[in-house]
Amino acid sequence: MIKNKEDYKTYLREDSYSKFKKNIKWRFFHKYKYPELYYQRILRKMEYLSLSKHSLIGSMIYYFNYFKFKKISQNLGFSIPLHVCDSGLCLVHYGSVIVNHNATIGKNCRIHSAVNIGDSVNIGDGVYIGPGAKIFGDIKIGDNVVIGANSVVNKDIPSNVTIAGVPAKIIKQSTS
């Protein structure tokens, strides 16, 4: 969770690194070239600004950015609440990505389009979620897990496995 300005900068740097495997200097045209990364930057800004909305000026800045955040969420099809995702989040494509506000997502998670993450889901670090995956129930997914495309995950998954299918089953004991 972002607690101060240094955390905010670290999250931006790690999100950029997870997308490009290098840190890029953010330019104005990147907003149009990488709209999913622009969304993540606004998401992180909102998480940072939520700490300072107690003053009048802080509230005004927060709500101005809140409406911008909602607009880009609708345009890109993302529904990711604040303070759910840890650093290193990578949204590969824009499209329908829905995350419940009670879910938690660990570091360096890669999420493709048409993913739905339900209530009380706890996702570990380094998880790859393929396109169309549905994850729901009171479950825990371990670290370094690969979830195949169109999988339906409704039970706990241990670390360092590859899963796929409906319902999802372990198909490999190591990640790819």
Side-chain angles (χ1 to χ4, degrees):
M1 180 192 281
I2 296 176
K3 295 182 177 83
N4 54 38
K5 194 165 190 168
E6 276 306 309
D7 287 347
Y8 171 60
K9 289 179 181 179
T10 301
Y11 274 54
L12 291 178
R13 193 170 43 252
E14 289 182 13
D15 287 350
S16 172
Y17 186 80
S18 71
K19 178 82 172 169
F20 301 109
K21 300 303 179 220
K22 65 180 181 177
N23 289 320
I24 63 166
K25 184 170 171 87
W26 188 256
R27 304 275 188 225
F28 173 75
F29 64 89
H30 287 148
K31 173 180 176 178
Y32 304 104
K33 191 172 181 181
Y34 310 113
E36 60 281 344
L37 188 59
Y38 178 63
Y39 170 82
Q40 285 179 236
R41 292 180 66 85
I42 294 176
L43 173 72
R44 301 308 185 187
K45 186 174 187 178
M46 290 298 299
E47 290 175 348
Y48 173 66
L49 290 173
S50 69
L51 303 172
S52 63
K53 67 178 183 178
H54 303 294
S55 67
L56 179 63
I57 301 288
S59 291
M60 291 170 56
I61 293 170
Y62 175 82
Y63 286 109
F64 171 77
N65 284 287
Y66 174 79
F67 292 116
K68 185 164 61 168
F69 176 67
K70 285 297 182 186
K71 182 179 179 186
I72 194 168
S73 292
Q74 290 174 349
N75 288 343
L76 297 178
F78 297 139
S79 177
I80 302 174
L82 303 180
H83 305 295
V84 169
C85 304
D86 210 338
S87 62
L89 175 67
C90 181
L91 299 171
V92 182
H93 307 287
Y94 52 91
S96 177
V97 174
I98 300 170
V99 179
N100 189 283
H101 68 279
N102 290 328
T104 57
I105 299 174
K107 294 182 179 200
N108 302 319
C109 184
R110 190 171 179 89
I111 302 175
H112 284 265
S113 62
V115 169
N116 191 339
I117 300 173
D119 192 23
S120 302
V121 174
N122 186 354
I123 298 175
D125 298 339
V127 175
Y128 172 91
I129 303 173
K134 309 297 182 248
I135 305 166
F136 60 90
D138 187 10
I139 61 172
K140 182 177 184 335
I141 297 174
D143 298 337
N144 304 316
V145 172
V146 175
I147 300 172
N150 296 319
S151 297
V152 175
V153 183
N154 58 1
K155 61 182 178 182
D156 289 349
I157 305 296
S159 296
N160 302 313
V161 296
T162 300
I163 61 172
V166 179
K169 296 180 180 121
I170 298 173
I171 59 172
K172 192 175 179 184
Q173 285 297 329
S174 61
T175 59
S176 54

